[in-house]
Amino acid sequence: MAKEMTEFNNRLDKLAEYCMNSGRFDQDLYIEYDVKRGLRDSNGKGILTGLTEISDVVAFKSIHGRKIPIDGQLYYQGYNVMNLVEGNKESRFGFEEITYLLLFGELPNKDQLQEFLDILGNYRELPDNFVRDIIMNAPNANMMNVLQKSVLTLYSYDNQPEDISVNNVLRQSLQLIARFPLIAVYGYHSYRHYILDKSLVIRRPKPELSTAENILRLLRPDGQYTELEAKVLDIALIIHAEHGGGNNSTFTTHVVTSTGTDTYSAIAASLGSLKGPKHGGANLKVQQMFKDIESHVTNWDDDDEVTEYLTKILNREAFDGKGLIYGIGHAVYTESDPRCVILKKYAQALSEEKGLTREFDLYNRVEGIAIKLMQQHRQLFKPICANVDFYSGFVYSMLGLPMELFTPIFAISRISGWCAHRIEELANEGKIIRPAYKYVGHHKDYVAIEDRWW
């Protein structure tokens, strides 16, 4: 049997080699035909493919025709996120308010917000036996796959799954926004129980609690959390909720929505995009990198020793051999990423509560040294900064969130933006998004099978 399996695998390897030989072509053809690979120009700027009012990402200002780098600014429906976070101190939790803003274009008054909270609280439940029959059935270690499977299955529990009127899509969107935390946490508990042989604890959400509070309450065996913990998670949800229409998963939402398909298919596609390590999984790489740094750098307070090891990482002599310092640099932001600036402040506060200031100091030290090293190593003439992924994994770890939930937490937040963009695409009755590809192969004459001597 083992011999047969080896022979079978060898055949697959040979077929895979055919794929590689057939699929690979001269990379210079991208330049020859002026193909904007990755939908980016030669300077790395994204190619304009659509219009949106939902959010704006600003990293430069124009002075006498020249682009001057500035501290990054992120706007939700015209409001600066810095101001939204700062103004949310009194209300304690703001993710739900931000979700309202993204969907409806304006901040709610007190009555509108309470009505919205009541609706989300009412939707914060799953269909009867859904946890047992769907989430606990065939559990796996990747909660993004659990989310995708569950979202697609929820289609079968919807009496109007194909109705893409804005009224119906809004109802579906609010249900998914409310249900995502439950699916992710219940999926993780199922994985721990059925695969890791741990005790199973399933707790019902409380409709009157915020999304952040419910996540911590559902996740922890004792259901307890501090006010600061819930506040920090709420802030993390706010700053991840939306980031312009051009990020990969939001663009996926627009592309799939433009075909006229149902909400569940569109959101499942967006989840597939966010799962990728080049998108939503980036903070996992930062966490892995820091574990490596912590184990190889003896004195975390020694700038020279930290610099020496980071140089090894850049020279592909350490960590994963890719030559990357993860969490440093962004496709748009230059002087600073506002999301990182916000999260860093709360990371410091949480580290003080948790007794992890030494770890925070290491993050802060690596941030400063890595920026200078990367500018020198890559001979960069424009500023670079730490991005939101640099501190998010550290924050999640301090909150006791397992790594399996890092990317799902991103999804729990970002679905607010996805749903806003889906509704925007439907409201504007756009054409199907259909990009063009240049054929660079060769036309061939057909050869009968008996004459194929290759």
Side-chain angles (χ1 to χ4, degrees):
M1 186 68 180
K3 183 180 179 182
E4 292 176 357
M5 183 59 68
T6 299
E7 291 178 354
F8 184 79
N9 288 335
N10 287 339
R11 292 175 186 173
L12 285 178
D13 290 342
K14 192 171 184 179
L15 290 174
E17 189 177 338
Y18 291 163
C19 288
M20 289 298 295
N21 291 336
S22 171
R24 188 186 293 116
F25 49 79
D26 185 356
Q27 300 299 292
D28 288 339
L29 291 173
Y30 283 103
I31 299 174
E32 180 179 340
Y33 291 107
D34 192 27
V35 175
K36 302 300 187 284
R37 197 173 190 185
L39 291 181
R40 297 194 175 278
D41 62 21
S42 57
N43 295 319
K45 182 180 178 182
I47 303 301
L48 191 63
T49 60
L51 303 173
T52 185
E53 290 183 335
I54 295 170
S55 70
D56 189 20
V57 179
V58 180
F60 297 90
K61 65 179 178 180
S62 180
I63 299 179
H64 304 304
R66 291 182 58 209
K67 288 176 61 178
I68 307 298
I70 60 172
D71 285 326
Q73 299 171 5
L74 174 60
Y75 294 85
Y76 290 170
Q77 293 284 9
Y79 294 95
N80 192 309
V81 168
M82 290 281 196
N83 295 334
L84 292 172
V85 170
E86 188 67 22
N88 186 53
K89 286 183 177 178
E90 293 183 6
S91 58
R92 190 172 171 220
F93 298 108
F95 174 64
E96 290 77 14
E97 184 176 341
I98 295 305
T99 298
Y100 184 103
L101 170 64
L102 292 173
L103 289 171
F104 308 120
E106 275 298 344
L107 290 167
N109 60 36
K110 288 184 178 180
D111 291 340
Q112 289 171 328
L113 179 59
Q114 188 56 56
E115 183 180 35
F116 187 64
L117 293 175
D118 291 343
I119 292 172
L120 286 180
N122 184 62
Y123 282 151
R124 198 168 272 132
E125 61 179 11
L126 291 166
D128 291 343
N129 301 322
F130 191 89
V131 177
R132 183 196 66 190
D133 296 342
I134 306 303
I135 297 177
M136 290 185 179
N137 189 17
N140 68 79
N142 198 300
M143 297 311 111
M144 294 299 285
N145 281 10
V146 173
L147 278 167
Q148 278 188 298
K149 177 183 76 172
S150 299
V151 166
L152 288 173
T153 307
L154 282 169
Y155 176 102
S156 302
Y157 291 79
D158 192 331
N159 293 328
Q160 299 171 281
E162 292 285 349
D163 180 356
I164 61 170
S165 66
V166 171
N167 282 14
N168 192 58
V169 170
L170 176 60
R171 187 263 307 171
Q172 293 170 329
S173 297
L174 294 176
Q175 286 182 325
L176 289 173
I177 290 168
R179 288 169 167 174
F180 259 38
L182 280 65
I183 296 170
V185 176
Y186 291 161
Y188 174 70
H189 284 316
S190 300
Y191 156 69
R192 288 185 76 253
H193 179 64
Y194 291 105
I195 297 179
L196 301 183
D197 199 28
K198 304 292 184 180
S199 297
L200 178 63
V201 178
I202 297 293
R203 184 177 284 107
R204 289 186 179 277
K206 287 189 173 182
E208 69 272 17
L209 295 182
S210 69
T211 300
E213 290 174 300
N214 267 309
I215 291 172
L216 295 176
R217 182 177 178 276
L218 295 177
L219 181 63
R220 296 180 173 179
D222 61 3
Q224 300 300 307
Y225 51 86
T226 68
E227 184 174 330
L228 179 60
E229 287 177 323
K231 180 65 176 178
V232 171
L233 182 53
D234 182 65
I235 293 296
L237 294 174
I238 289 173
I239 63 176
H240 283 93
E242 169 58 11
H243 203 244
N247 67 80
N248 195 287
S249 57
T250 303
F251 184 58
T252 298
T253 306
H254 276 281
V255 171
V256 180
T257 296
S258 76
T259 69
T261 194
D262 65 278
T263 296
Y264 302 98
S265 295
I267 298 303
S270 304
L271 283 164
S273 164
L274 189 69
K275 178 187 175 184
K278 294 182 180 180
H279 190 4
N283 55 20
L284 290 172
K285 293 296 293 186
V286 176
Q287 280 296 94
Q288 294 162 4
M289 179 185 72
F290 266 92
K291 286 186 177 180
D292 181 74
I293 292 171
E294 290 170 0
S295 64
H296 287 90
V297 174
T298 306
N299 185 356
W300 295 0
D301 299 323
D302 188 338
D303 283 2
D304 291 337
E305 188 177 356
V306 172
T307 299
E308 181 181 355
Y309 195 71
L310 291 178
T311 301
K312 287 183 178 180
I313 292 177
L314 283 174
N315 291 334
R316 303 175 186 267
E317 299 169 357
F319 187 41
D320 61 359
K322 298 290 181 62
L324 299 172
I325 298 179
Y326 295 93
I328 301 295
H330 190 268
V332 180
Y333 296 122
T334 52
E335 293 285 355
S336 65
D337 179 340
R339 303 167 302 168
C340 181
V341 173
I342 294 170
L343 198 60
K344 181 178 180 178
K345 180 177 71 172
Y346 284 93
Q348 183 173 11
L350 192 59
S351 72
E352 292 170 359
E353 180 177 278
K354 299 290 185 180
L356 295 170
T357 55
R358 184 167 176 260
E359 284 76 7
F360 175 80
D361 289 342
L362 177 62
Y363 271 79
N364 188 46
R365 178 168 281 103
V366 169
E367 178 188 357
I369 293 173
I371 288 172
K372 295 177 182 177
L373 279 180
M374 288 183 66
Q375 286 177 318
Q376 295 168 1
H377 189 268
R378 297 183 178 177
Q379 298 182 329
L380 299 175
F381 299 103
K382 73 173 185 177
I384 59 171
C385 61
N387 61 53
V388 69
D389 295 315
F390 192 82
Y391 287 99
S392 61
F394 178 48
V395 166
Y396 296 158
S397 295
M398 287 193 289
L399 290 173
L401 301 179
M403 295 185 76
E404 291 88 350
L405 285 178
F406 281 16
T407 309
I409 290 294
F410 196 164
I412 289 168
S413 171
R414 185 56 62 86
I415 187 177
S416 296
W418 291 339
C419 290
H421 279 276
R422 173 166 170 77
I423 291 172
E424 185 178 64
E425 183 71 33
L426 292 172
N428 286 283
E429 301 177 342
K431 293 183 177 180
I432 184 171
I433 299 172
R434 183 187 180 278
Y437 267 65
K438 172 69 177 178
Y439 178 70
V440 293
H442 302 282
H443 296 174
K444 303 171 185 177
D445 293 328
Y446 176 78
V447 178
I449 191 167
E450 59 270 15
D451 295 326
R452 300 172 197 164
W453 301 107
W454 50 81

